[in-house]
Amino acid sequence: MSDATDLNVEDAPEGQEIIQTLPLDAWHRARGGRMVPFAGYHMPVQYEGIMAEHLWTRESAGLFDVSHMGQVVFTGENGLAPVITALEKVLPGDITGLGDRKNRYSLLLNEEGGILDDLMVTKRTLDGADELYMVVNGATKYDDIAYLLDFIPDDATLNLLDEQALLALQGPKAVDALARIVPGVEDLVFMTAADFVWHDVPLWISRSGYTGEDGYEISIPADHAAAFADLLCEQAEVKPIGLGARDSLRLEAGLPLYGHDLDPETTPVMADLGFALAKKRREAADFLGAGRILAERENGPAVKRVGLTVAGRQPVREGASVVAEDGSVIGRVTSGGFAPSLGAPIAMAYVPTDLAAPGTAVKLLQRGKTHDATVTAMPFVPHRYVRSGAK
Amino acid sequence: MSRYFTEDHEWIDVDGDVGTVGISDYAQGALGDIVFVDVPEEGRELTKGDEAAVVESVKAASDVYAPVSGTVIEGNAQLSDEPALVNSDPEGEGWFFKITLSDASELEALMDETAYAAFVAKL
């Protein structure tokens, strides 16, 4: 027996061979986490099993360690406005118009309008300083920083918060568990954030995540992370969850994963992330690759990211081909697996735009075997974000 | 009846010239939740080391190799409805296929249970 398809969470990006230790490394091992190399770190891929952890998160609350991700803060000697103006060259979102303590999903673009990373941006004022707080992918964080430094003005500062851990508590009971420990978090709504204090430890908490569930992301000083994670796991609603279930949850939620569903060859329009292109920014057309991106938006891209439901029970995974009736390759699967909530295989793929409408039948080729699939609207499992009200 | 194991974590029970093949408890534990098993069809000729079956967990697909040469006489049809049998009873009800051995001497290169246990302990 041998692995024909590596766990895609084990794909070590080139240049990321250096294995560093995250603040919760010993904590994961003590709780039985099976550790694998990921994004230059050892990370827990699972504890009791991906299926059980996935379903637990959908029903209750799962605690994910996402400390490998890059937490970056921008400040400017002459205020934040010039920094934001500079960053908007590479981010097509309306960052200038972003409200205080509001999160925004955005994309880091290259000259051709290709995607170098996807990220979250928040404006905040902490200790009297206006800051832009950004969370970027772990595997790309050092490249992102090198790239961003070329764009920000000389009087701006970029700090990588590498002494901060990042925890994600996700699931319908996340609010109950976290509000017991940090009162007030129940008042946040989806894509808003605030600072809190837990036993003199400063926390930065946003109501956001990448599982499709309600939940929170908690930035905490690394030396307090284990105690806080312990306390969370003492709550009846909470169990620690590994990267394996994080991947199956985000796939069911229809959320693309950088390095798999998004890469520098892909534009926001191809990736079906047009919502990340702010109207004001489209009209100004003042970001990198705007010419190409706006033309694609107007005329339709050649290929587009779609969701697929796969007939039968066999998962079709990243790397499989989308083939036409005559057997010619017309697309590629970029994420695929078994959806625990649905009990069926699902996938994301890039297909020619004329095949991107939901209901379109396509064929997938994997290891010499053909699978029938149908283009399906995403998310596969409905999102349950809390957009207003306390709960 | 004798049980043998491969270094690739297949097991084979041999009764006369018929072998029953599956994957070890260690293998199912390493794979995690099994969601699909593709077993070989009756009549398929396999040479030792051939890719004989595919087992899929939530995260990964793995090939299962023929531990011996021979002709497949039965695939475990129960696995198409209950792939999780490989997790719950890997060395019993979760067997993959039965094969008639064409060269019983191939068994000599395999490990017995004690040797396999020692092999796994070092992994």
Side-chain angles (χ1 to χ4, degrees), chain B residues 4-24:
Chain B
Y4 303 87
F5 290 85
T6 72
E7 291 190 356
D8 295 317
H9 307 288
E10 293 91 10
W11 56 264
I12 178 169
D13 276 348
V14 181
D15 189 4
D17 66 346
V18 173
T20 302
V21 178
I23 65 169
S24 69

Side-chain angles (χ1 to χ4, degrees), chain B residues 96-115:
Chain B
F96 280 34
F97 60 93
K98 294 181 190 292
I99 187 170
T100 55
L101 278 63
S102 57
D103 179 3
S105 73
E106 288 174 343
L107 295 170
E108 290 164 18
L110 303 181
M111 289 176 275
D112 63 15
E113 287 192 64
T114 311

Side-chain angles (χ1 to χ4, degrees), chain A residues 72-89:
Chain A
V72 181
V73 162
F74 298 87
T75 50
E77 279 175 30
N78 299 302
L80 205 52
V83 185
I84 289 175
T85 302
L87 286 174
E88 284 190 336
K89 182 92 178 156

